[in-house]
Amino acid sequence: MSQTVIALGAHVFDVQVRPVEGIPAGQGAALVDQIRFGPAGTAAGTALILAKLGAAVRTAGAVGTDPIGDLLLSMLAGHGVDTSLVLRRDDTQTSASVLPIRPDGSRPAFHVLGANIAYGPDDAPHTEIAGATHLHMGAPELMGGEAAAKILARARAAGVVTSADLLASGDSGLFDWIALALPYLDYVLPNEDQVLGLTGAATLEEGARRFLAEGVGCVAVTRGARGALVVTKDDVIEIPAFAVDVVDTTGCGDAFSAGFLRGLGLGRGLRECGVLGCAAAALVAQGLGSDHGDFDLVTADAFATTAAILECR
């Protein structure tokens, strides 16, 4: 089955440093093993992994006219992502993050929102979206639910499958901020902290069902080492994570989204989509950055059939 995806929204340039156990005091310095950089963000990072898995992908959003933007777009293009729909802004910098990676693979972040918050419905390539099979919106909270709904509603009216992932952490006020967009989303792909934080629910399934009550068709939640939980009106599917040596968790959520969406494009069932998502996340987690790993769909599927799994707890 052919799959053409437009990933619209957050484009971020990440700089990763590892391992970091603390920030040196004053003018101090510390030696580290590795520093690298690469494309990231809930639109750009997802697009990159989708391209690795064989989808035809274009990204839409905004970056600055700065050298960071040049690098971000050139690196996406190097992975086979069409960036011709990305706008360049000369009044703000490209969104960027510096990520000190802890020895266990977790990481805090220093982040600049930059051009990502200068993008809205009037900038969206509606004609091109209508010609795609899938629209994935990365970080609809950056423009707000009302603005995101204007883009998603037109996509749904054109028969496009819609999905979204969130960039912001779980904040109880954020749910109301994005609520107007939810009825136009076939799939929402958040992480566990976001679901519990946004909804205030006592359990993950309860939180997922809050999204369903607002009109979302399916919620696929990442749970770190506990894999993923896929919730629809009629089903609750637990999918275990794969056992790998984690180097960096950056981009694992985006990789899961990409694997899940690629599975949909291939006509796979929800469980199989979740398995491909967990496999893509595990492959990315074994190195530094959202773009880690020289893999394709065949490699990811083979990994999913042979790798050890972690028990869901």
Side-chain angles (χ1 to χ4, degrees):
M1 298 175 64
S2 60
Q3 182 181 30
T4 56
V5 183
I6 291 182
L8 180 150
H11 286 63
V12 181
F13 187 81
D14 275 358
V15 178
Q16 303 101 9
V17 184
R18 69 173 286 265
V20 176
E21 298 187 68
I23 304 298
Q27 298 293 315
L31 294 177
V32 295
D33 295 338
Q34 191 177 12
I35 298 175
R36 71 181 303 275
F37 54 79
T42 42
T46 302
L48 190 155
I49 303 301
L50 274 165
K52 286 187 178 186
L53 296 175
V57 192
R58 308 178 78 179
T59 60
V63 301
T65 54
D66 49 11
I68 297 177
D70 295 339
L71 272 171
L72 173 55
L73 296 182
S74 67
M75 293 184 78
L76 284 173
H79 285 285
V81 177
D82 181 342
T83 63
S84 60
L85 299 177
V86 177
L87 305 179
R88 305 296 300 265
R89 307 290 200 201
D90 59 10
D91 58 348
T92 186
Q93 77 158 82
T94 300
S95 178
S97 294
V98 175
L99 306 172
I101 313 299
R102 297 187 179 102
D104 66 357
S106 64
R107 78 285 183 273
F110 300 94
H111 183 65
V112 173
L113 289 170
N116 281 331
I117 58 173
Y119 191 87
D122 292 340
D123 299 309
H126 295 288
T127 300
E128 288 80 2
I129 291 171
T133 62
H134 291 67
L135 170 65
H136 180 66
M137 184 171 286
E141 69 273 18
L142 294 180
M143 66 177 76
E146 182 177 2
K150 292 178 181 178
I151 300 172
L152 292 165
R154 290 181 63 169
R156 283 280 293 271
V160 179
V161 176
T162 59
S163 59
D165 189 8
L166 302 173
L167 185 62
S169 59
D171 183 303
S172 59
L174 188 61
F175 192 90
D176 291 339
W177 175 243
I178 63 171
L180 289 177
L182 298 179
Y184 304 104
L185 284 165
D186 296 305
Y187 301 91
V188 172
L189 303 148
N191 64 42
E192 182 173 18
D193 290 341
Q194 289 168 334
V195 171
L196 295 176
L198 265 63
T199 65
T203 69
L204 195 54
E205 181 182 342
E206 180 186 331
R209 294 201 179 280
R210 173 82 188 278
F211 282 87
L212 298 180
E214 296 294 328
V216 173
C218 172
V219 183
V221 189
T222 56
R223 304 186 297 169
R226 292 185 295 121
L229 188 74
V230 180
V231 183
T232 68
K233 178 180 146 183
D234 300 316
D235 293 304
V236 178
I237 305 168
E238 289 193 10
I239 299 161
F242 292 98
V244 297
D245 292 328
V246 175
V247 171
D248 175 20
T249 58
T250 304
C252 288
D254 300 331
F256 175 85
S257 294
F260 189 91
L261 296 175
R262 185 66 180 123
L264 291 175
L266 293 166
R268 299 182 182 181
L270 291 178
R271 179 177 296 278
E272 289 72 29
C273 290
V275 169
L276 182 55
C278 286
L283 290 166
V284 167
Q286 295 177 71
L288 202 58
S290 299
D291 58 344
H292 171 75
D294 183 15
F295 60 88
D296 57 14
L297 179 63
V298 172
T299 307
D301 280 339
F303 172 86
T305 60
T306 58
I309 62 172
L310 297 170
E311 289 186 14
C312 287
R313 295 186 298 274

